Amino acid sequence: MLCSGQLGVAMNEVIPADIEAQAALCFDNIAAILGEAGLTLADIVRINAYVTAREHMAGYMAVRDRYVGEPPPASTLMIVTGFTRPEFLVEVEAIAAGPAR
């Protein structure tokens, strides 16, 4: 299953100011999407993440490590100049694979 990029925005459209809270929302959103397909975060095999500054890398990675299992899935972390709105600091997309149905 391919999960398109998720931004750190809550259902009430609030965007937290810090990277950790935004990253947690990204993974919460991914978990909900995977759940609709009968999958979990443990089924993720690949993550692509984008942050807007080098100083956001550690915060993002700490959150990622809390959400995904050991060993973590293959992942790429890229630094980008920005997203559609300046308050967004991170975007996460995932590929998950589960049992054949």
Side-chain angles (χ1 to χ4, degrees), residues 17-84:
D18 64 285
I19 187 69
E20 291 87 358
Q22 285 193 28
L25 284 170
C26 292
F27 281 101
D28 288 340
N29 293 341
I30 290 170
I33 292 165
L34 293 177
E36 290 292 320
L39 301 170
T40 71
L41 292 171
D43 295 309
I44 294 176
V45 296
R46 173 112 183 116
I47 295 171
N48 289 324
Y50 311 88
V51 297
T52 56
R54 219 170 234 101
E55 60 266 18
H56 297 317
M57 290 171 55
Y60 160 75
M61 291 172 67
V63 172
R64 180 206 63 189
D65 291 348
R66 283 197 311 265
Y67 277 83
V68 300
E70 282 293 325
S75 66
T76 300
L77 176 59
M78 293 162 266
I79 299 169
V80 298
T81 58
F83 299 106
T84 55

